[in-house]
Structure formats: C-alpha cells, structure tokens
Amino acid sequence: SMNEFISFDKEIETLQLYMELEKLRFNDKFDFEIDSQLTDPTFKVPPMLIQPFVENAIIHGMKGKVNKGNILVQFSELENELILCAIDDDGVGRNSIVNEKDHRSLATQLTDERINFFNQKSNHRFDIKILDKKDEAGNAIGTRVELLIPMV
C-alpha cells in the first residue's frame, strides 16, 4: 500500500477478501470469523498491519492440523482511544514452527519494525503480544496475537 494510513473499514474489507482467498487456496481447511464491536469504524490504521498475523495463523497454525481449523479476528474498544485486535487460532501452535530448522518469521519482523517506526514518529502507541495457548496437559492448542492499535 502506498498510504501511511487507511480507513479501518478498508482494512477489514481487505482482510476479509484475503481470508476468503486463503480458505479457497487451502481447500476449506479452516473456518474464520471477523467480529467487530467498534461503535465508530471510521478511524485510520496503517495498511496491512493485521494481515501478517492472520497469514501466520493460516500458513503455520493450520499446517499439520488434522481437523478443520478455526481463526477468529476480534476488534474491541478499550479506554484511551485504543482498539484491541485479537487473532485467535486453534492451530498447531508456535512450538512446531520454532522447531523447524532455519525458520524466521519475516512478516512478524517487518511488522515489528513498522510498529517501532510509528511509535517513534508519533505520540501513538502500538503494541503486540503473542500468546501460546495450551490445554491442561500443556499441549499446544493454538496461538493468540493481541495488537493494541491507537485510534487515529
């Protein structure tokens, strides 16, 4: 994208189309839902900020999964004009990726660099947390990525 910021609505539309295409490409191996609880979706966000994490959920999370997977992308408003974007998958977890020899997540690295750039350039504060989900026995049951996005 050539724009520094685009409307949130446009970002959601792009994300929806991307996930539909990937679902076709992966022969219906996963279901997905995009759930937005935002009262005013007219604010601006950096383009393609969320997509790399969704891509990781699809490419890596669903790889090796026997049953059909699920990906949920949720948006909710927090205090101080912040949006929480949570990307939840029930995939194989990051441990299977970390153990792959020579794996390096370029998309995550580039997104980190973009967020650092935005944080240095402005008063806005973006943040990312990646959580490994586990069952009671400690087995990987997916990944949750939480992005804090300031309303611009």
PDB file of all heavy atoms in Angstrom, residues 13-23 25 30 48 51 54-56 58-59:
ATOM      1  N   GLU A  13     -12.173  -4.878   5.049  1.00  0.00           N
ATOM      2  CA  GLU A  13     -12.567  -5.403   3.738  1.00  0.00           C
ATOM      3  C   GLU A  13     -11.412  -6.173   3.089  1.00  0.00           C
ATOM      4  O   GLU A  13     -11.597  -7.275   2.569  1.00  0.00           O
ATOM      5  CB  GLU A  13     -13.001  -4.245   2.835  1.00  0.00           C
ATOM      6  CG  GLU A  13     -13.403  -4.672   1.439  1.00  0.00           C
ATOM      7  CD  GLU A  13     -13.706  -3.481   0.541  1.00  0.00           C
ATOM      8  OE1 GLU A  13     -14.054  -2.391   1.048  1.00  0.00           O
ATOM      9  OE2 GLU A  13     -13.592  -3.649  -0.686  1.00  0.00           O
ATOM     10  N   THR A  14     -10.216  -5.617   3.155  1.00  0.00           N
ATOM     11  CA  THR A  14      -9.036  -6.278   2.599  1.00  0.00           C
ATOM     12  C   THR A  14      -8.755  -7.590   3.331  1.00  0.00           C
ATOM     13  O   THR A  14      -8.450  -8.607   2.714  1.00  0.00           O
ATOM     14  CB  THR A  14      -7.816  -5.341   2.696  1.00  0.00           C
ATOM     15  OG1 THR A  14      -8.119  -4.125   2.028  1.00  0.00           O
ATOM     16  CG2 THR A  14      -6.580  -5.969   2.090  1.00  0.00           C
ATOM     17  N   LEU A  15      -8.864  -7.570   4.643  1.00  0.00           N
ATOM     18  CA  LEU A  15      -8.636  -8.765   5.460  1.00  0.00           C
ATOM     19  C   LEU A  15      -9.660  -9.852   5.138  1.00  0.00           C
ATOM     20  O   LEU A  15      -9.313 -11.029   5.009  1.00  0.00           O
ATOM     21  CB  LEU A  15      -8.701  -8.373   6.933  1.00  0.00           C
ATOM     22  CG  LEU A  15      -8.207  -9.379   7.949  1.00  0.00           C
ATOM     23  CD1 LEU A  15      -6.754  -9.738   7.717  1.00  0.00           C
ATOM     24  CD2 LEU A  15      -8.402  -8.809   9.346  1.00  0.00           C
ATOM     25  N   GLN A  16     -10.910  -9.472   4.982  1.00  0.00           N
ATOM     26  CA  GLN A  16     -11.983 -10.417   4.636  1.00  0.00           C
ATOM     27  C   GLN A  16     -11.682 -11.100   3.297  1.00  0.00           C
ATOM     28  O   GLN A  16     -11.763 -12.323   3.184  1.00  0.00           O
ATOM     29  CB  GLN A  16     -13.321  -9.675   4.567  1.00  0.00           C
ATOM     30  CG  GLN A  16     -14.502 -10.519   4.140  1.00  0.00           C
ATOM     31  CD  GLN A  16     -15.063 -11.381   5.250  1.00  0.00           C
ATOM     32  OE1 GLN A  16     -14.988 -11.026   6.419  1.00  0.00           O
ATOM     33  NE2 GLN A  16     -15.623 -12.516   4.902  1.00  0.00           N
ATOM     34  N   LEU A  17     -11.329 -10.300   2.293  1.00  0.00           N
ATOM     35  CA  LEU A  17     -11.014 -10.856   0.971  1.00  0.00           C
ATOM     36  C   LEU A  17      -9.799 -11.773   1.026  1.00  0.00           C
ATOM     37  O   LEU A  17      -9.786 -12.849   0.417  1.00  0.00           O
ATOM     38  CB  LEU A  17     -10.787  -9.727  -0.037  1.00  0.00           C
ATOM     39  CG  LEU A  17     -12.016  -8.909  -0.405  1.00  0.00           C
ATOM     40  CD1 LEU A  17     -11.623  -7.689  -1.222  1.00  0.00           C
ATOM     41  CD2 LEU A  17     -13.040  -9.757  -1.147  1.00  0.00           C
ATOM     42  N   TYR A  18      -8.780 -11.354   1.766  1.00  0.00           N
ATOM     43  CA  TYR A  18      -7.574 -12.182   1.905  1.00  0.00           C
ATOM     44  C   TYR A  18      -7.918 -13.542   2.518  1.00  0.00           C
ATOM     45  O   TYR A  18      -7.489 -14.591   2.028  1.00  0.00           O
ATOM     46  CB  TYR A  18      -6.526 -11.454   2.760  1.00  0.00           C
ATOM     47  CG  TYR A  18      -5.369 -12.343   3.125  1.00  0.00           C
ATOM     48  CD1 TYR A  18      -4.409 -12.682   2.180  1.00  0.00           C
ATOM     49  CD2 TYR A  18      -5.246 -12.875   4.409  1.00  0.00           C
ATOM     50  CE1 TYR A  18      -3.363 -13.528   2.512  1.00  0.00           C
ATOM     51  CE2 TYR A  18      -4.210 -13.706   4.744  1.00  0.00           C
ATOM     52  CZ  TYR A  18      -3.264 -14.041   3.790  1.00  0.00           C
ATOM     53  OH  TYR A  18      -2.237 -14.883   4.107  1.00  0.00           O
ATOM     54  N   MET A  19      -8.703 -13.539   3.591  1.00  0.00           N
ATOM     55  CA  MET A  19      -9.032 -14.792   4.270  1.00  0.00           C
ATOM     56  C   MET A  19      -9.912 -15.687   3.400  1.00  0.00           C
ATOM     57  O   MET A  19      -9.758 -16.914   3.419  1.00  0.00           O
ATOM     58  CB  MET A  19      -9.676 -14.497   5.624  1.00  0.00           C
ATOM     59  CG  MET A  19      -8.699 -13.837   6.577  1.00  0.00           C
ATOM     60  SD  MET A  19      -9.374 -13.490   8.198  1.00  0.00           S
ATOM     61  CE  MET A  19      -9.158 -15.090   8.980  1.00  0.00           C
ATOM     62  N   GLU A  20     -10.808 -15.093   2.639  1.00  0.00           N
ATOM     63  CA  GLU A  20     -11.633 -15.889   1.719  1.00  0.00           C
ATOM     64  C   GLU A  20     -10.771 -16.563   0.652  1.00  0.00           C
ATOM     65  O   GLU A  20     -10.968 -17.743   0.337  1.00  0.00           O
ATOM     66  CB  GLU A  20     -12.696 -15.005   1.066  1.00  0.00           C
ATOM     67  CG  GLU A  20     -13.806 -14.600   2.010  1.00  0.00           C
ATOM     68  CD  GLU A  20     -14.772 -13.575   1.428  1.00  0.00           C
ATOM     69  OE1 GLU A  20     -14.649 -13.221   0.232  1.00  0.00           O
ATOM     70  OE2 GLU A  20     -15.652 -13.124   2.179  1.00  0.00           O
ATOM     71  N   LEU A  21      -9.809 -15.820   0.109  1.00  0.00           N
ATOM     72  CA  LEU A  21      -8.909 -16.405  -0.901  1.00  0.00           C
ATOM     73  C   LEU A  21      -8.064 -17.533  -0.319  1.00  0.00           C
ATOM     74  O   LEU A  21      -7.895 -18.585  -0.945  1.00  0.00           O
ATOM     75  CB  LEU A  21      -8.001 -15.325  -1.496  1.00  0.00           C
ATOM     76  CG  LEU A  21      -8.656 -14.359  -2.463  1.00  0.00           C
ATOM     77  CD1 LEU A  21      -7.705 -13.215  -2.810  1.00  0.00           C
ATOM     78  CD2 LEU A  21      -9.105 -15.080  -3.723  1.00  0.00           C
ATOM     79  N   GLU A  22      -7.521 -17.309   0.874  1.00  0.00           N
ATOM     80  CA  GLU A  22      -6.698 -18.346   1.505  1.00  0.00           C
ATOM     81  C   GLU A  22      -7.531 -19.587   1.849  1.00  0.00           C
ATOM     82  O   GLU A  22      -7.037 -20.709   1.724  1.00  0.00           O
ATOM     83  CB  GLU A  22      -6.007 -17.807   2.762  1.00  0.00           C
ATOM     84  CG  GLU A  22      -4.920 -16.801   2.465  1.00  0.00           C
ATOM     85  CD  GLU A  22      -3.754 -17.401   1.710  1.00  0.00           C
ATOM     86  OE1 GLU A  22      -2.845 -17.958   2.336  1.00  0.00           O
ATOM     87  OE2 GLU A  22      -3.737 -17.309   0.465  1.00  0.00           O
ATOM     88  N   LYS A  23      -8.764 -19.372   2.242  1.00  0.00           N
ATOM     89  CA  LYS A  23      -9.640 -20.510   2.539  1.00  0.00           C
ATOM     90  C   LYS A  23      -9.847 -21.351   1.278  1.00  0.00           C
ATOM     91  O   LYS A  23      -9.816 -22.580   1.333  1.00  0.00           O
ATOM     92  CB  LYS A  23     -10.979 -20.019   3.099  1.00  0.00           C
ATOM     93  CG  LYS A  23     -11.885 -21.148   3.541  1.00  0.00           C
ATOM     94  CD  LYS A  23     -13.124 -20.629   4.226  1.00  0.00           C
ATOM     95  CE  LYS A  23     -14.009 -21.808   4.587  1.00  0.00           C
ATOM     96  NZ  LYS A  23     -15.176 -21.438   5.338  1.00  0.00           N
ATOM     97  N   ARG A  25      -7.744 -21.406  -1.322  1.00  0.00           N
ATOM     98  CA  ARG A  25      -6.435 -21.965  -1.666  1.00  0.00           C
ATOM     99  C   ARG A  25      -6.112 -23.202  -0.832  1.00  0.00           C
ATOM    100  O   ARG A  25      -5.502 -24.144  -1.317  1.00  0.00           O
ATOM    101  CB  ARG A  25      -5.354 -20.907  -1.476  1.00  0.00           C
ATOM    102  CG  ARG A  25      -3.966 -21.367  -1.876  1.00  0.00           C
ATOM    103  CD  ARG A  25      -3.007 -20.208  -1.901  1.00  0.00           C
ATOM    104  NE  ARG A  25      -2.490 -19.841  -0.627  1.00  0.00           N
ATOM    105  CZ  ARG A  25      -1.211 -19.978  -0.268  1.00  0.00           C
ATOM    106  NH1 ARG A  25      -0.332 -20.455  -1.114  1.00  0.00           N
ATOM    107  NH2 ARG A  25      -0.821 -19.609   0.930  1.00  0.00           N
ATOM    108  N   PHE A  30      -9.905 -24.435   6.924  1.00  0.00           N
ATOM    109  CA  PHE A  30     -10.216 -23.675   8.137  1.00  0.00           C
ATOM    110  C   PHE A  30     -11.463 -22.817   7.904  1.00  0.00           C
ATOM    111  O   PHE A  30     -11.830 -22.518   6.774  1.00  0.00           O
ATOM    112  CB  PHE A  30      -9.038 -22.775   8.547  1.00  0.00           C
ATOM    113  CG  PHE A  30      -8.724 -21.688   7.558  1.00  0.00           C
ATOM    114  CD1 PHE A  30      -9.302 -20.431   7.683  1.00  0.00           C
ATOM    115  CD2 PHE A  30      -7.859 -21.912   6.502  1.00  0.00           C
ATOM    116  CE1 PHE A  30      -9.021 -19.422   6.766  1.00  0.00           C
ATOM    117  CE2 PHE A  30      -7.567 -20.913   5.590  1.00  0.00           C
ATOM    118  CZ  PHE A  30      -8.155 -19.661   5.722  1.00  0.00           C
ATOM    119  N   MET A  48      -2.389  -3.117   6.071  1.00  0.00           N
ATOM    120  CA  MET A  48      -1.769  -4.444   6.165  1.00  0.00           C
ATOM    121  C   MET A  48      -1.051  -4.672   7.500  1.00  0.00           C
ATOM    122  O   MET A  48      -0.076  -5.398   7.579  1.00  0.00           O
ATOM    123  CB  MET A  48      -0.803  -4.672   5.004  1.00  0.00           C
ATOM    124  CG  MET A  48      -1.439  -4.556   3.632  1.00  0.00           C
ATOM    125  SD  MET A  48      -2.618  -5.865   3.289  1.00  0.00           S
ATOM    126  CE  MET A  48      -1.506  -7.230   3.005  1.00  0.00           C
ATOM    127  N   GLN A  51      -2.807  -8.276   8.677  1.00  0.00           N
ATOM    128  CA  GLN A  51      -2.686  -9.380   7.721  1.00  0.00           C
ATOM    129  C   GLN A  51      -1.516 -10.329   7.995  1.00  0.00           C
ATOM    130  O   GLN A  51      -1.692 -11.544   7.910  1.00  0.00           O
ATOM    131  CB  GLN A  51      -2.625  -8.821   6.295  1.00  0.00           C
ATOM    132  CG  GLN A  51      -2.614  -9.864   5.206  1.00  0.00           C
ATOM    133  CD  GLN A  51      -1.209 -10.377   4.883  1.00  0.00           C
ATOM    134  OE1 GLN A  51      -0.209  -9.741   5.170  1.00  0.00           O
ATOM    135  NE2 GLN A  51      -1.162 -11.552   4.298  1.00  0.00           N
ATOM    136  N   VAL A  54      -2.550 -12.819  10.609  1.00  0.00           N
ATOM    137  CA  VAL A  54      -3.560 -13.733  10.075  1.00  0.00           C
ATOM    138  C   VAL A  54      -2.885 -14.740   9.140  1.00  0.00           C
ATOM    139  O   VAL A  54      -3.176 -15.930   9.170  1.00  0.00           O
ATOM    140  CB  VAL A  54      -4.688 -12.957   9.362  1.00  0.00           C
ATOM    141  CG1 VAL A  54      -5.618 -13.895   8.626  1.00  0.00           C
ATOM    142  CG2 VAL A  54      -5.459 -12.113  10.366  1.00  0.00           C
ATOM    143  N   GLU A  55      -1.958 -14.252   8.341  1.00  0.00           N
ATOM    144  CA  GLU A  55      -1.212 -15.141   7.443  1.00  0.00           C
ATOM    145  C   GLU A  55      -0.463 -16.216   8.226  1.00  0.00           C
ATOM    146  O   GLU A  55      -0.485 -17.393   7.870  1.00  0.00           O
ATOM    147  CB  GLU A  55      -0.217 -14.327   6.606  1.00  0.00           C
ATOM    148  CG  GLU A  55       0.606 -15.165   5.657  1.00  0.00           C
ATOM    149  CD  GLU A  55       1.551 -14.330   4.818  1.00  0.00           C
ATOM    150  OE1 GLU A  55       1.338 -13.104   4.670  1.00  0.00           O
ATOM    151  OE2 GLU A  55       2.513 -14.914   4.284  1.00  0.00           O
ATOM    152  N   ASN A  56       0.185 -15.831   9.332  1.00  0.00           N
ATOM    153  CA  ASN A  56       0.876 -16.816  10.173  1.00  0.00           C
ATOM    154  C   ASN A  56      -0.102 -17.836  10.740  1.00  0.00           C
ATOM    155  O   ASN A  56       0.204 -19.033  10.806  1.00  0.00           O
ATOM    156  CB  ASN A  56       1.630 -16.126  11.306  1.00  0.00           C
ATOM    157  CG  ASN A  56       2.951 -15.551  10.866  1.00  0.00           C
ATOM    158  OD1 ASN A  56       3.456 -15.861   9.784  1.00  0.00           O
ATOM    159  ND2 ASN A  56       3.523 -14.695  11.689  1.00  0.00           N
ATOM    160  N   ILE A  58      -2.840 -18.847   9.392  1.00  0.00           N
ATOM    161  CA  ILE A  58      -3.265 -19.735   8.304  1.00  0.00           C
ATOM    162  C   ILE A  58      -2.132 -20.649   7.871  1.00  0.00           C
ATOM    163  O   ILE A  58      -2.267 -21.878   7.876  1.00  0.00           O
ATOM    164  CB  ILE A  58      -3.773 -18.914   7.098  1.00  0.00           C
ATOM    165  CG1 ILE A  58      -5.058 -18.161   7.462  1.00  0.00           C
ATOM    166  CG2 ILE A  58      -4.013 -19.823   5.888  1.00  0.00           C
ATOM    167  CD1 ILE A  58      -5.475 -17.109   6.440  1.00  0.00           C
ATOM    168  N   ILE A  59      -1.016 -20.066   7.500  1.00  0.00           N
ATOM    169  CA  ILE A  59       0.094 -20.832   6.913  1.00  0.00           C
ATOM    170  C   ILE A  59       0.721 -21.774   7.935  1.00  0.00           C
ATOM    171  O   ILE A  59       0.939 -22.950   7.657  1.00  0.00           O
ATOM    172  CB  ILE A  59       1.172 -19.883   6.342  1.00  0.00           C
ATOM    173  CG1 ILE A  59       0.580 -18.897   5.347  1.00  0.00           C
ATOM    174  CG2 ILE A  59       2.330 -20.675   5.744  1.00  0.00           C
ATOM    175  CD1 ILE A  59       0.283 -19.427   3.989  1.00  0.00           C
TER     176      ILE A  59
END
